[in-house]
Amino acid sequence: MRNNSALALILEMQKLCKGYLKADDYLEALSLFLAVGTVSPNTLRETGKLIDDPKTCQEYFFSELERLRLTTPNKPWETGRIAGVPGPVLAMLARVVSGSSASIPELAEATRRYYVKNYLRRSEPDLTLQKYLQALIGNLEGKSLLDSHCGLALKTELFSPALLVLNEPDPTLSRISHRLLIAQDIDVIFCKQDYLLAACLTEGKSTNRDRSTLETHALQLKGLFDIVIAEPPTRPLLQQDQLEILAAKFPFLTSLPSELPSTASTSLWIQQTLRQLNDSGTAYIIVSNGWLSRGGYDATVRTALINHAYVDSIIALEDDANSKENRSILVLKKQAKDSNEIVFLNEASALNRALENVVINEETGDLFENIEPKPADPYCVTISAENILSNQDLNDRSANLLAQHYLPSIEQTATYSDDQRDETAILAQAEKRAQKAQLALKTLIEKYQP
C-alpha cells in the first residue's frame, strides 16, 4: 500500500462521512481513529463489529475513549465534533482503519500530507517563517527539541529527535498533530500552557490547564534541550506570588526588580528559555523589535545576555532593513564563543539564503537538506559586544540589539558591497525597482488622464 492508494482510501471514507462530518472535522475524526488504532487496536475491532447496533456502538466507543483518558491523560482523546456522529459511521471508520491493507503509519502520513495541502489554515508569512526555522535547525536526529512556536508539528521528515515537546496554541491543530504523531509512533509531549507559567507552579502541583505532570516536570528541568524555538506569548504581568516562586526556584541572569513593568514577561520568558538549553544548545526566540531596544529591565536582561556571550545573532524579519515594525529572531547559544561578537542579518537575504539551501517538495511541502556551500551575505554585519554595550542613545537605552540600528538599508548596502554581490542579482533588483516605478506611473496616468 503506497501513498496514492492510502490517499484514495482517505477520500473514499470522506465520501461515506459526507452529511455527517464537514471535511476538516472528518480529518480530525480520522486522526482520532488512527491514534486509537495504534494505542488500543481492539477498540476499533470491537467498534466495527457493532455496525448493526448504533446505540451500543456509540456507547462502547465513547466509553473506551473515557478509559483512555483515565489511563493516558496526557494524550489527545477529546471527542470534539464526533460526539454526535451516528454509530454506523463510527463503526465504518473503525472497520476501514483496522481492516485496511494499509498500515496505520501509512494512513497517518497520507492524512498529514492531505491536511497540510488542503486544510492547514496558516498565513503565507507564517508558513514561510516555519520553513525558514526548519532550514535553520536542520536535521534533529538524536537531538531534543522544544518548539513553543510550533508549526513544525505536521512536518516531521527531518525529525528523529530524542525528545520532542510541542506547544501549539491552536487546539484543533494540536489535537490533529498529536494524534498523527502517535499513529506514526513518534513519541511527543504536547504542552497545554506556556512553560513560564509551568515554572511558576509549586512542586508536584498542577492546574486544570496543565493536565500532565509529565509535561510540567519536563519543562521545569534545567538543561534539557538541544534546540528551543520560542515565541513569547502576550499576556498579563505575572502575579507577585508567581514571581516569588520563580525567584525561589532559580536565579535569573539579573535580579528581579521590586516592581516589574508590564512588558517584563518577555524578558522572563527568554531567561527561562535559556535555562531549558543544555550546555551546547541553541534557542531561536521570536521577539518584538520593541524588546530589542527598550530600556529598563529589558535593557538590563539584554546586557546580561551579551556579557555572558549568549547572543549569537539577530535576524530582522522584514523585507526592508529600515522598517521599525515587526519581529526579529534572537539566536542564543549556551556554548562559549571564541570572541564575543554578534551577527546582525536582514531577513530579505538571510531567509532567501537559508531556503536556497534546502530542497522543497512542491507536492507535499516537505523539506530536505541540500548540502551546498552558503554564499556570502552582503546584508550581514558583525559587531563586537564591547561596541554594542558602549552604544547608548539619549533615552538611556543601552545594549541595543535592533538589527536595523546596525544594518544599512538595502539601497545603501548595494552601494558599498557591489564587489561582494553577484552582478546578476544587482541587475535583477534594479529591474524590479524600475517595474514598480512604471506601474506607479501607469496608475497615475490612468487616474488623472481625461
Side-chain angles (χ1 to χ4, degrees):
M1 186 75 170
R2 297 269 70 86
N3 265 331
N4 287 340
S5 52
L7 177 60
L9 181 60
I10 290 168
L11 296 175
E12 181 183 339
M13 286 191 287
Q14 186 173 357
K15 288 181 181 177
L16 294 172
C17 291
K18 190 173 182 181
Y20 299 105
L21 287 167
K22 296 178 182 177
D24 48 354
D25 292 341
Y26 157 70
L27 290 171
E28 185 177 351
L30 178 58
S31 69
L32 175 61
F33 275 83
L34 292 170
V36 171
T38 302
V39 175
S40 180
N42 187 60
T43 295
L44 293 194
R45 286 193 292 267
E46 294 302 316
T47 300
K49 293 176 182 178
L50 298 171
I51 194 167
D52 294 324
D53 189 348
K55 185 177 179 182
T56 304
C57 179
Q58 280 184 314
E59 290 174 351
Y60 173 77
F61 182 73
F62 291 122
S63 67
E64 283 296 290
L65 284 184
E66 183 60 31
R67 178 183 63 82
L68 288 173
R69 273 196 292 270
L70 294 173
T71 55
T72 53
N74 59 323
K75 300 297 182 184
W77 306 124
E78 297 90 339
T79 57
R81 294 183 179 88
I82 71 164
V85 172
V89 177
L90 297 176
M92 178 274 298
L93 285 170
R95 277 188 170 188
V96 175
V97 171
S98 62
S100 171
S101 58
S103 68
I104 284 182
E106 282 178 321
L107 284 172
E109 176 61 13
T111 302
R112 183 193 68 79
R113 292 175 186 271
Y114 184 58
Y115 183 79
V116 168
K117 188 174 181 181
N118 297 283
Y119 295 100
L120 182 57
R121 310 294 187 217
R122 287 273 163 97
S123 68
E124 190 57 37
D126 281 344
L127 291 173
T128 301
L129 178 56
Q130 288 159 17
K131 290 179 182 179
Y132 181 37
L133 288 169
Q134 288 182 84
L136 285 176
I137 65 177
N139 196 311
L140 287 171
E141 185 172 0
K143 297 181 180 179
S144 52
L145 168 71
L146 166 61
D147 177 14
S148 70
H149 173 69
C150 216
L152 304 184
L154 287 168
K155 292 180 175 294
T156 59
E157 283 66 27
L158 299 178
F159 290 176
S160 298
L163 174 64
L164 180 59
V165 179
L166 299 171
N167 185 355
E168 171 54 61
D170 182 333
T172 300
L173 180 56
S174 176
R175 285 194 297 271
I176 294 175
S177 302
H178 198 171
R179 291 166 181 171
L180 295 179
L181 289 168
I182 291 170
Q184 291 182 273
D185 199 27
I186 298 174
D187 190 20
V188 59
I189 299 171
F190 260 87
C191 307
K192 309 217 172 29
Q193 65 177 39
D194 72 59
Y195 56 76
L196 185 61
L197 287 180
C200 292
L201 297 173
T202 54
E203 297 295 339
K205 186 176 179 181
S206 63
T207 67
N208 290 334
R209 294 180 63 198
D210 171 41
R211 303 186 346 178
S212 167
T213 55
L214 173 63
E215 73 189 34
T216 301
H217 178 63
L219 295 179
Q220 288 185 3
L221 287 179
K222 180 180 179 181
L224 194 66
F225 297 96
D226 295 293
I227 295 172
V228 176
I229 298 175
E231 183 167 14
T234 302
R235 52 169 157 68
L237 184 65
L238 295 177
Q239 300 299 313
Q240 186 60 37
D241 60 337
Q242 294 175 313
L243 290 172
E244 289 173 0
I245 293 173
L246 287 177
K249 277 189 176 181
F250 56 84
F252 286 106
L253 285 173
T254 63
S255 59
L256 292 172
S258 57
E259 193 169 323
L260 281 175
S262 60
T263 57
S265 60
T266 297
S267 289
L268 297 175
W269 176 287
I270 289 171
Q271 292 175 86
Q272 172 67 349
T273 298
L274 192 65
R275 291 185 68 255
Q276 305 303 320
L277 294 176
N278 58 34
D279 290 340
S280 59
T282 302
Y284 303 91
I285 308 174
I286 302 165
V287 295
S288 69
N289 284 353
W291 184 87
L292 292 169
S293 59
R294 273 196 299 260
Y297 182 65
D298 294 333
T300 304
V301 171
R302 291 197 306 272
T303 301
L305 291 172
I306 295 171
N307 281 330
H308 283 80
Y310 289 142
V311 182
D312 177 77
S313 55
I314 306 292
I315 304 170
L317 292 177
E318 55 273 327
D319 293 333
D320 182 355
N322 283 323
S323 173
K324 302 301 181 185
E325 301 298 327
N326 298 322
R327 304 167 295 172
S328 297
I329 298 177
L330 168 68
V331 183
L332 302 179
K333 289 192 175 182
K334 289 285 273 295
Q335 196 166 13
K337 297 188 289 185
D338 294 334
S339 60
N340 194 357
E341 295 180 327
I342 298 173
V343 178
F344 295 89
L345 301 98
N346 172 256
E347 175 268 352
S349 60
L351 181 134
N352 290 334
R353 185 185 67 184
L355 293 183
E356 283 170 3
N357 284 275
V358 297
V359 176
I360 302 176
N361 184 319
E362 294 298 334
E363 182 180 347
T364 64
D366 299 338
L367 297 183
F368 303 92
E369 287 186 293
N370 183 21
I371 309 302
E372 291 181 0
K374 293 182 177 180
D377 193 332
Y379 309 127
C380 168
V381 296
T382 301
I383 310 289
S384 71
E386 183 180 1
N387 285 341
I388 292 170
L389 293 175
S390 64
N391 184 2
Q392 185 164 311
D393 64 20
L394 295 176
N395 295 317
D396 195 33
R397 294 185 297 183
S398 58
N400 190 338
L401 289 177
L402 188 64
Q404 290 83 343
H405 188 74
Y406 303 97
L407 286 171
S409 69
I410 291 176
E411 298 297 331
Q412 292 170 325
T413 307
T415 302
Y416 71 79
S417 301
D418 284 353
D419 58 330
Q420 300 179 35
R421 303 183 63 207
D422 181 77
E423 186 176 351
T424 304
I426 297 173
L427 292 173
Q429 190 179 63
E431 183 180 355
K432 187 176 180 180
R433 290 198 301 270
Q435 288 174 348
K436 291 176 71 174
Q438 287 176 344
L439 180 60
L441 180 60
K442 181 181 177 182
T443 302
L444 286 172
I445 291 173
E446 290 175 350
K447 183 177 181 179
Y448 293 106
Q449 191 174 34

